[in-house]
Amino acid sequence: METDLTILKLSFFLGLVVVVSCSQAPAPWNPSMRMHPVTCDQYECPTYKLVEAGYGYEIRMYNSAVWMSTDPIPSPSMTQGTKTGFHRLFRYILGDNKSKTKLNMTAPVITQTTPGKSVYTVSFYIPKKNQQTPPLADDLHVESWKPTYVAIRQFSGYVTDDLAIKEAVALMDSLKGTVWKFHIEKSKGNSPDYLVADYNPPFQTTARVNEIMVPFDM
């Protein structure tokens, strides 16, 4: 009887340990919890195949895509550089280009960031119907993506310089020990350029989705 009571107490204690441990553990990065940018229900977004959903990261294979990009923009901050670039690209889609062609709005707007440098390139995804012959502009240039592997980390809220840096570091940390980190460092170095993708208009205050993107070669 005493032995049975001891076993019962031990089982109860172990059960409490499991419950407490589970309550303190961080929630794993679950593919079913991936944030879907609602903007992509309204506007065209680049397409991709999900290759792997890991703890704090995703690996995607993006299909071929065409972007219109600014020249490098010197700026004291990424957010200011993004604003400057977006204003130019917005005029571009409204018809401020050589053929006076208007384009549909798409998402996301991406900003290329190089660690340690205050120069930024901002890009707009060209709609599929315009990708064969995108309208040209003197102060913008076309960038074509072949099918491309991209490491991704999502985060919410409004993008700031400090938050983008923090999330970029977290993405690279989450990739430690994976074959993906090996290929990123082999093709892009230890401190690779990264893209900050903003899917949302400034007036959207909830359900905002942003991404850190690191393209790499396999």
Side-chain angles (χ1 to χ4, degrees), residues 66-97:
V66 178
W67 304 77
M68 187 61 67
S69 300
T70 66
D71 292 333
I73 300 171
S75 177
S77 72
M78 181 202 67
T79 50
Q80 183 58 52
T82 300
K83 184 182 297 185
T84 300
F86 176 76
H87 286 165
R88 175 62 189 102
L89 292 166
F90 190 64
R91 297 200 311 273
Y92 167 81
I93 68 174
L94 290 180
D96 186 2
N97 51 67

PDB file of all heavy atoms in Angstrom, residues 66-97:
ATOM      1  N   VAL A  66      10.353  39.414 -62.075  1.00  0.00           N
ATOM      2  CA  VAL A  66      10.958  40.646 -62.566  1.00  0.00           C
ATOM      3  C   VAL A  66      10.597  41.778 -61.620  1.00  0.00           C
ATOM      4  O   VAL A  66       9.434  41.925 -61.216  1.00  0.00           O
ATOM      5  CB  VAL A  66      10.485  40.976 -64.004  1.00  0.00           C
ATOM      6  CG1 VAL A  66      11.099  42.297 -64.484  1.00  0.00           C
ATOM      7  CG2 VAL A  66      10.844  39.848 -64.959  1.00  0.00           C
ATOM      8  N   TRP A  67      11.602  42.560 -61.261  1.00  0.00           N
ATOM      9  CA  TRP A  67      11.427  43.686 -60.345  1.00  0.00           C
ATOM     10  C   TRP A  67      11.929  44.955 -61.011  1.00  0.00           C
ATOM     11  O   TRP A  67      12.861  44.928 -61.817  1.00  0.00           O
ATOM     12  CB  TRP A  67      12.215  43.466 -59.052  1.00  0.00           C
ATOM     13  CG  TRP A  67      11.897  42.205 -58.319  1.00  0.00           C
ATOM     14  CD1 TRP A  67      12.304  40.944 -58.634  1.00  0.00           C
ATOM     15  CD2 TRP A  67      11.084  42.081 -57.147  1.00  0.00           C
ATOM     16  NE1 TRP A  67      11.804  40.029 -57.731  1.00  0.00           N
ATOM     17  CE2 TRP A  67      11.049  40.701 -56.800  1.00  0.00           C
ATOM     18  CE3 TRP A  67      10.393  42.999 -56.349  1.00  0.00           C
ATOM     19  CZ2 TRP A  67      10.349  40.227 -55.693  1.00  0.00           C
ATOM     20  CZ3 TRP A  67       9.701  42.526 -55.243  1.00  0.00           C
ATOM     21  CH2 TRP A  67       9.683  41.159 -54.928  1.00  0.00           C
ATOM     22  N   MET A  68      11.340  46.082 -60.660  1.00  0.00           N
ATOM     23  CA  MET A  68      11.862  47.388 -61.051  1.00  0.00           C
ATOM     24  C   MET A  68      12.497  48.004 -59.815  1.00  0.00           C
ATOM     25  O   MET A  68      11.851  48.077 -58.762  1.00  0.00           O
ATOM     26  CB  MET A  68      10.755  48.284 -61.595  1.00  0.00           C
ATOM     27  CG  MET A  68      11.265  49.595 -62.175  1.00  0.00           C
ATOM     28  SD  MET A  68      12.409  49.392 -63.582  1.00  0.00           S
ATOM     29  CE  MET A  68      11.306  48.703 -64.826  1.00  0.00           C
ATOM     30  N   SER A  69      13.754  48.431 -59.950  1.00  0.00           N
ATOM     31  CA  SER A  69      14.524  48.854 -58.779  1.00  0.00           C
ATOM     32  C   SER A  69      15.093  50.254 -58.944  1.00  0.00           C
ATOM     33  O   SER A  69      15.419  50.688 -60.059  1.00  0.00           O
ATOM     34  CB  SER A  69      15.685  47.873 -58.529  1.00  0.00           C
ATOM     35  OG  SER A  69      15.200  46.569 -58.305  1.00  0.00           O
ATOM     36  N   THR A  70      15.219  50.939 -57.830  1.00  0.00           N
ATOM     37  CA  THR A  70      15.878  52.239 -57.815  1.00  0.00           C
ATOM     38  C   THR A  70      17.389  52.048 -57.899  1.00  0.00           C
ATOM     39  O   THR A  70      17.900  50.955 -57.666  1.00  0.00           O
ATOM     40  CB  THR A  70      15.565  53.000 -56.523  1.00  0.00           C
ATOM     41  OG1 THR A  70      16.160  52.292 -55.401  1.00  0.00           O
ATOM     42  CG2 THR A  70      14.069  53.125 -56.293  1.00  0.00           C
ATOM     43  N   ASP A  71      18.086  53.111 -58.233  1.00  0.00           N
ATOM     44  CA  ASP A  71      19.530  53.122 -58.025  1.00  0.00           C
ATOM     45  C   ASP A  71      19.773  53.148 -56.516  1.00  0.00           C
ATOM     46  O   ASP A  71      18.871  53.489 -55.740  1.00  0.00           O
ATOM     47  CB  ASP A  71      20.153  54.350 -58.695  1.00  0.00           C
ATOM     48  CG  ASP A  71      20.077  54.279 -60.217  1.00  0.00           C
ATOM     49  OD1 ASP A  71      20.048  53.145 -60.754  1.00  0.00           O
ATOM     50  OD2 ASP A  71      20.040  55.341 -60.860  1.00  0.00           O
ATOM     51  N   PRO A  72      20.986  52.779 -56.076  1.00  0.00           N
ATOM     52  CA  PRO A  72      21.264  52.829 -54.635  1.00  0.00           C
ATOM     53  C   PRO A  72      20.981  54.221 -54.062  1.00  0.00           C
ATOM     54  O   PRO A  72      21.386  55.236 -54.640  1.00  0.00           O
ATOM     55  CB  PRO A  72      22.749  52.467 -54.558  1.00  0.00           C
ATOM     56  CG  PRO A  72      22.978  51.612 -55.777  1.00  0.00           C
ATOM     57  CD  PRO A  72      22.110  52.205 -56.842  1.00  0.00           C
ATOM     58  N   ILE A  73      20.274  54.244 -52.937  1.00  0.00           N
ATOM     59  CA  ILE A  73      19.850  55.496 -52.314  1.00  0.00           C
ATOM     60  C   ILE A  73      20.643  55.720 -51.026  1.00  0.00           C
ATOM     61  O   ILE A  73      20.452  54.979 -50.052  1.00  0.00           O
ATOM     62  CB  ILE A  73      18.345  55.452 -51.981  1.00  0.00           C
ATOM     63  CG1 ILE A  73      17.519  55.239 -53.254  1.00  0.00           C
ATOM     64  CG2 ILE A  73      17.918  56.734 -51.267  1.00  0.00           C
ATOM     65  CD1 ILE A  73      16.047  54.957 -52.969  1.00  0.00           C
ATOM     66  N   PRO A  74      21.545  56.725 -50.984  1.00  0.00           N
ATOM     67  CA  PRO A  74      22.203  57.043 -49.709  1.00  0.00           C
ATOM     68  C   PRO A  74      21.177  57.620 -48.739  1.00  0.00           C
ATOM     69  O   PRO A  74      20.396  58.500 -49.099  1.00  0.00           O
ATOM     70  CB  PRO A  74      23.254  58.096 -50.100  1.00  0.00           C
ATOM     71  CG  PRO A  74      23.366  58.011 -51.599  1.00  0.00           C
ATOM     72  CD  PRO A  74      22.021  57.568 -52.083  1.00  0.00           C
ATOM     73  N   SER A  75      21.163  57.113 -47.523  1.00  0.00           N
ATOM     74  CA  SER A  75      20.175  57.588 -46.557  1.00  0.00           C
ATOM     75  C   SER A  75      20.679  57.316 -45.148  1.00  0.00           C
ATOM     76  O   SER A  75      21.336  56.290 -44.904  1.00  0.00           O
ATOM     77  CB  SER A  75      18.838  56.875 -46.784  1.00  0.00           C
ATOM     78  OG  SER A  75      17.888  57.269 -45.817  1.00  0.00           O
ATOM     79  N   PRO A  76      20.367  58.200 -44.193  1.00  0.00           N
ATOM     80  CA  PRO A  76      20.791  57.965 -42.808  1.00  0.00           C
ATOM     81  C   PRO A  76      20.069  56.794 -42.153  1.00  0.00           C
ATOM     82  O   PRO A  76      20.508  56.282 -41.129  1.00  0.00           O
ATOM     83  CB  PRO A  76      20.449  59.280 -42.104  1.00  0.00           C
ATOM     84  CG  PRO A  76      19.369  59.890 -42.939  1.00  0.00           C
ATOM     85  CD  PRO A  76      19.669  59.484 -44.347  1.00  0.00           C
ATOM     86  N   SER A  77      18.945  56.343 -42.748  1.00  0.00           N
ATOM     87  CA  SER A  77      18.214  55.220 -42.172  1.00  0.00           C
ATOM     88  C   SER A  77      17.570  54.402 -43.276  1.00  0.00           C
ATOM     89  O   SER A  77      17.276  54.920 -44.361  1.00  0.00           O
ATOM     90  CB  SER A  77      17.134  55.707 -41.186  1.00  0.00           C
ATOM     91  OG  SER A  77      16.059  56.314 -41.887  1.00  0.00           O
ATOM     92  N   MET A  78      17.328  53.122 -42.981  1.00  0.00           N
ATOM     93  CA  MET A  78      16.669  52.251 -43.949  1.00  0.00           C
ATOM     94  C   MET A  78      15.234  52.707 -44.188  1.00  0.00           C
ATOM     95  O   MET A  78      14.755  52.703 -45.327  1.00  0.00           O
ATOM     96  CB  MET A  78      16.677  50.810 -43.443  1.00  0.00           C
ATOM     97  CG  MET A  78      16.033  49.807 -44.393  1.00  0.00           C
ATOM     98  SD  MET A  78      15.506  48.309 -43.557  1.00  0.00           S
ATOM     99  CE  MET A  78      14.171  48.938 -42.520  1.00  0.00           C
ATOM    100  N   THR A  79      14.536  53.095 -43.125  1.00  0.00           N
ATOM    101  CA  THR A  79      13.142  53.487 -43.288  1.00  0.00           C
ATOM    102  C   THR A  79      13.018  54.730 -44.164  1.00  0.00           C
ATOM    103  O   THR A  79      12.102  54.828 -44.993  1.00  0.00           O
ATOM    104  CB  THR A  79      12.484  53.734 -41.915  1.00  0.00           C
ATOM    105  OG1 THR A  79      13.313  54.617 -41.144  1.00  0.00           O
ATOM    106  CG2 THR A  79      12.315  52.437 -41.156  1.00  0.00           C
ATOM    107  N   GLN A  80      13.941  55.678 -44.012  1.00  0.00           N
ATOM    108  CA  GLN A  80      13.898  56.866 -44.858  1.00  0.00           C
ATOM    109  C   GLN A  80      14.259  56.519 -46.293  1.00  0.00           C
ATOM    110  O   GLN A  80      13.638  57.007 -47.240  1.00  0.00           O
ATOM    111  CB  GLN A  80      14.856  57.934 -44.322  1.00  0.00           C
ATOM    112  CG  GLN A  80      14.826  59.237 -45.106  1.00  0.00           C
ATOM    113  CD  GLN A  80      13.443  59.867 -45.139  1.00  0.00           C
ATOM    114  OE1 GLN A  80      12.816  60.054 -44.094  1.00  0.00           O
ATOM    115  NE2 GLN A  80      12.955  60.196 -46.334  1.00  0.00           N
ATOM    116  N   GLY A  81      15.260  55.643 -46.482  1.00  0.00           N
ATOM    117  CA  GLY A  81      15.613  55.211 -47.824  1.00  0.00           C
ATOM    118  C   GLY A  81      14.466  54.484 -48.502  1.00  0.00           C
ATOM    119  O   GLY A  81      14.220  54.663 -49.701  1.00  0.00           O
ATOM    120  N   THR A  82      13.751  53.653 -47.734  1.00  0.00           N
ATOM    121  CA  THR A  82      12.600  52.941 -48.281  1.00  0.00           C
ATOM    122  C   THR A  82      11.506  53.916 -48.700  1.00  0.00           C
ATOM    123  O   THR A  82      10.901  53.767 -49.767  1.00  0.00           O
ATOM    124  CB  THR A  82      12.040  51.956 -47.242  1.00  0.00           C
ATOM    125  OG1 THR A  82      13.052  51.001 -46.896  1.00  0.00           O
ATOM    126  CG2 THR A  82      10.822  51.224 -47.781  1.00  0.00           C
ATOM    127  N   LYS A  83      11.259  54.921 -47.880  1.00  0.00           N
ATOM    128  CA  LYS A  83      10.227  55.908 -48.206  1.00  0.00           C
ATOM    129  C   LYS A  83      10.585  56.662 -49.485  1.00  0.00           C
ATOM    130  O   LYS A  83       9.726  56.860 -50.362  1.00  0.00           O
ATOM    131  CB  LYS A  83      10.066  56.885 -47.035  1.00  0.00           C
ATOM    132  CG  LYS A  83       8.951  57.904 -47.228  1.00  0.00           C
ATOM    133  CD  LYS A  83       8.879  58.866 -46.045  1.00  0.00           C
ATOM    134  CE  LYS A  83       8.535  58.155 -44.766  1.00  0.00           C
ATOM    135  NZ  LYS A  83       8.354  59.120 -43.629  1.00  0.00           N
ATOM    136  N   THR A  84      11.841  57.061 -49.613  1.00  0.00           N
ATOM    137  CA  THR A  84      12.287  57.767 -50.813  1.00  0.00           C
ATOM    138  C   THR A  84      12.118  56.892 -52.050  1.00  0.00           C
ATOM    139  O   THR A  84      11.598  57.321 -53.083  1.00  0.00           O
ATOM    140  CB  THR A  84      13.756  58.194 -50.669  1.00  0.00           C
ATOM    141  OG1 THR A  84      13.894  59.063 -49.540  1.00  0.00           O
ATOM    142  CG2 THR A  84      14.253  58.897 -51.925  1.00  0.00           C
ATOM    143  N   GLY A  85      12.560  55.639 -51.946  1.00  0.00           N
ATOM    144  CA  GLY A  85      12.454  54.725 -53.079  1.00  0.00           C
ATOM    145  C   GLY A  85      11.018  54.403 -53.442  1.00  0.00           C
ATOM    146  O   GLY A  85      10.665  54.328 -54.625  1.00  0.00           O
ATOM    147  N   PHE A  86      10.174  54.219 -52.419  1.00  0.00           N
ATOM    148  CA  PHE A  86       8.777  53.886 -52.685  1.00  0.00           C
ATOM    149  C   PHE A  86       8.074  55.027 -53.418  1.00  0.00           C
ATOM    150  O   PHE A  86       7.273  54.787 -54.334  1.00  0.00           O
ATOM    151  CB  PHE A  86       8.040  53.565 -51.390  1.00  0.00           C
ATOM    152  CG  PHE A  86       6.573  53.312 -51.606  1.00  0.00           C
ATOM    153  CD1 PHE A  86       6.131  52.112 -52.143  1.00  0.00           C
ATOM    154  CD2 PHE A  86       5.632  54.295 -51.303  1.00  0.00           C
ATOM    155  CE1 PHE A  86       4.774  51.877 -52.366  1.00  0.00           C
ATOM    156  CE2 PHE A  86       4.275  54.072 -51.521  1.00  0.00           C
ATOM    157  CZ  PHE A  86       3.848  52.864 -52.057  1.00  0.00           C
ATOM    158  N   HIS A  87       8.335  56.269 -53.030  1.00  0.00           N
ATOM    159  CA  HIS A  87       7.699  57.405 -53.691  1.00  0.00           C
ATOM    160  C   HIS A  87       8.044  57.421 -55.178  1.00  0.00           C
ATOM    161  O   HIS A  87       7.175  57.683 -56.029  1.00  0.00           O
ATOM    162  CB  HIS A  87       8.132  58.712 -53.027  1.00  0.00           C
ATOM    163  CG  HIS A  87       7.489  58.945 -51.692  1.00  0.00           C
ATOM    164  ND1 HIS A  87       7.958  59.881 -50.793  1.00  0.00           N
ATOM    165  CD2 HIS A  87       6.427  58.351 -51.101  1.00  0.00           C
ATOM    166  CE1 HIS A  87       7.197  59.866 -49.705  1.00  0.00           C
ATOM    167  NE2 HIS A  87       6.275  58.942 -49.865  1.00  0.00           N
ATOM    168  N   ARG A  88       9.310  57.129 -55.518  1.00  0.00           N
ATOM    169  CA  ARG A  88       9.686  57.092 -56.934  1.00  0.00           C
ATOM    170  C   ARG A  88       8.989  55.939 -57.650  1.00  0.00           C
ATOM    171  O   ARG A  88       8.481  56.098 -58.770  1.00  0.00           O
ATOM    172  CB  ARG A  88      11.214  56.950 -57.087  1.00  0.00           C
ATOM    173  CG  ARG A  88      11.667  56.775 -58.542  1.00  0.00           C
ATOM    174  CD  ARG A  88      11.293  57.979 -59.387  1.00  0.00           C
ATOM    175  NE  ARG A  88      11.505  57.778 -60.806  1.00  0.00           N
ATOM    176  CZ  ARG A  88      10.543  57.502 -61.691  1.00  0.00           C
ATOM    177  NH1 ARG A  88       9.284  57.325 -61.256  1.00  0.00           N
ATOM    178  NH2 ARG A  88      10.812  57.385 -62.969  1.00  0.00           N
ATOM    179  N   LEU A  89       8.958  54.775 -57.037  1.00  0.00           N
ATOM    180  CA  LEU A  89       8.325  53.616 -57.668  1.00  0.00           C
ATOM    181  C   LEU A  89       6.815  53.792 -57.791  1.00  0.00           C
ATOM    182  O   LEU A  89       6.200  53.311 -58.748  1.00  0.00           O
ATOM    183  CB  LEU A  89       8.654  52.350 -56.870  1.00  0.00           C
ATOM    184  CG  LEU A  89      10.119  51.913 -56.926  1.00  0.00           C
ATOM    185  CD1 LEU A  89      10.411  50.871 -55.858  1.00  0.00           C
ATOM    186  CD2 LEU A  89      10.474  51.368 -58.303  1.00  0.00           C
ATOM    187  N   PHE A  90       6.212  54.501 -56.838  1.00  0.00           N
ATOM    188  CA  PHE A  90       4.779  54.741 -56.931  1.00  0.00           C
ATOM    189  C   PHE A  90       4.463  55.641 -58.125  1.00  0.00           C
ATOM    190  O   PHE A  90       3.482  55.416 -58.841  1.00  0.00           O
ATOM    191  CB  PHE A  90       4.265  55.363 -55.627  1.00  0.00           C
ATOM    192  CG  PHE A  90       2.770  55.416 -55.537  1.00  0.00           C
ATOM    193  CD1 PHE A  90       2.024  54.250 -55.507  1.00  0.00           C
ATOM    194  CD2 PHE A  90       2.102  56.638 -55.480  1.00  0.00           C
ATOM    195  CE1 PHE A  90       0.628  54.290 -55.420  1.00  0.00           C
ATOM    196  CE2 PHE A  90       0.717  56.683 -55.394  1.00  0.00           C
ATOM    197  CZ  PHE A  90      -0.018  55.506 -55.372  1.00  0.00           C
ATOM    198  N   ARG A  91       5.314  56.644 -58.360  1.00  0.00           N
ATOM    199  CA  ARG A  91       5.129  57.472 -59.556  1.00  0.00           C
ATOM    200  C   ARG A  91       5.306  56.631 -60.819  1.00  0.00           C
ATOM    201  O   ARG A  91       4.599  56.831 -61.812  1.00  0.00           O
ATOM    202  CB  ARG A  91       6.119  58.638 -59.565  1.00  0.00           C
ATOM    203  CG  ARG A  91       5.950  59.622 -58.413  1.00  0.00           C
ATOM    204  CD  ARG A  91       6.606  60.974 -58.723  1.00  0.00           C
ATOM    205  NE  ARG A  91       7.964  60.844 -59.221  1.00  0.00           N
ATOM    206  CZ  ARG A  91       9.041  60.778 -58.459  1.00  0.00           C
ATOM    207  NH1 ARG A  91       8.924  60.803 -57.135  1.00  0.00           N
ATOM    208  NH2 ARG A  91      10.241  60.675 -58.989  1.00  0.00           N
ATOM    209  N   TYR A  92       6.241  55.687 -60.747  1.00  0.00           N
ATOM    210  CA  TYR A  92       6.493  54.799 -61.897  1.00  0.00           C
ATOM    211  C   TYR A  92       5.237  54.013 -62.271  1.00  0.00           C
ATOM    212  O   TYR A  92       4.858  53.948 -63.446  1.00  0.00           O
ATOM    213  CB  TYR A  92       7.641  53.848 -61.557  1.00  0.00           C
ATOM    214  CG  TYR A  92       7.815  52.691 -62.518  1.00  0.00           C
ATOM    215  CD1 TYR A  92       8.483  52.860 -63.720  1.00  0.00           C
ATOM    216  CD2 TYR A  92       7.312  51.423 -62.203  1.00  0.00           C
ATOM    217  CE1 TYR A  92       8.639  51.791 -64.606  1.00  0.00           C
ATOM    218  CE2 TYR A  92       7.463  50.363 -63.077  1.00  0.00           C
ATOM    219  CZ  TYR A  92       8.130  50.547 -64.274  1.00  0.00           C
ATOM    220  OH  TYR A  92       8.270  49.485 -65.147  1.00  0.00           O
ATOM    221  N   ILE A  93       4.550  53.419 -61.282  1.00  0.00           N
ATOM    222  CA  ILE A  93       3.379  52.602 -61.618  1.00  0.00           C
ATOM    223  C   ILE A  93       2.181  53.468 -62.019  1.00  0.00           C
ATOM    224  O   ILE A  93       1.254  52.975 -62.662  1.00  0.00           O
ATOM    225  CB  ILE A  93       2.991  51.635 -60.470  1.00  0.00           C
ATOM    226  CG1 ILE A  93       2.463  52.385 -59.257  1.00  0.00           C
ATOM    227  CG2 ILE A  93       4.167  50.747 -60.098  1.00  0.00           C
ATOM    228  CD1 ILE A  93       1.931  51.476 -58.169  1.00  0.00           C
ATOM    229  N   LEU A  94       2.225  54.762 -61.668  1.00  0.00           N
ATOM    230  CA  LEU A  94       1.157  55.666 -62.087  1.00  0.00           C
ATOM    231  C   LEU A  94       1.379  56.203 -63.500  1.00  0.00           C
ATOM    232  O   LEU A  94       0.544  56.960 -64.004  1.00  0.00           O
ATOM    233  CB  LEU A  94       1.039  56.832 -61.107  1.00  0.00           C
ATOM    234  CG  LEU A  94       0.496  56.493 -59.707  1.00  0.00           C
ATOM    235  CD1 LEU A  94       0.436  57.743 -58.839  1.00  0.00           C
ATOM    236  CD2 LEU A  94      -0.870  55.833 -59.784  1.00  0.00           C
ATOM    237  N   GLY A  95       2.501  55.812 -64.118  1.00  0.00           N
ATOM    238  CA  GLY A  95       2.746  56.207 -65.502  1.00  0.00           C
ATOM    239  C   GLY A  95       3.951  57.086 -65.721  1.00  0.00           C
ATOM    240  O   GLY A  95       4.208  57.518 -66.870  1.00  0.00           O
ATOM    241  N   ASP A  96       4.730  57.367 -64.663  1.00  0.00           N
ATOM    242  CA  ASP A  96       5.947  58.171 -64.819  1.00  0.00           C
ATOM    243  C   ASP A  96       7.077  57.272 -65.311  1.00  0.00           C
ATOM    244  O   ASP A  96       8.005  56.933 -64.584  1.00  0.00           O
ATOM    245  CB  ASP A  96       6.312  58.843 -63.495  1.00  0.00           C
ATOM    246  CG  ASP A  96       7.486  59.816 -63.639  1.00  0.00           C
ATOM    247  OD1 ASP A  96       7.981  60.001 -64.774  1.00  0.00           O
ATOM    248  OD2 ASP A  96       7.914  60.377 -62.616  1.00  0.00           O
ATOM    249  N   ASN A  97       6.948  56.833 -66.562  1.00  0.00           N
ATOM    250  CA  ASN A  97       7.948  55.996 -67.225  1.00  0.00           C
ATOM    251  C   ASN A  97       7.956  56.349 -68.713  1.00  0.00           C
ATOM    252  O   ASN A  97       7.134  57.159 -69.178  1.00  0.00           O
ATOM    253  CB  ASN A  97       7.664  54.503 -66.993  1.00  0.00           C
ATOM    254  CG  ASN A  97       6.221  54.130 -67.328  1.00  0.00           C
ATOM    255  OD1 ASN A  97       5.810  54.175 -68.489  1.00  0.00           O
ATOM    256  ND2 ASN A  97       5.443  53.766 -66.303  1.00  0.00           N
TER     257      ASN A  97
END
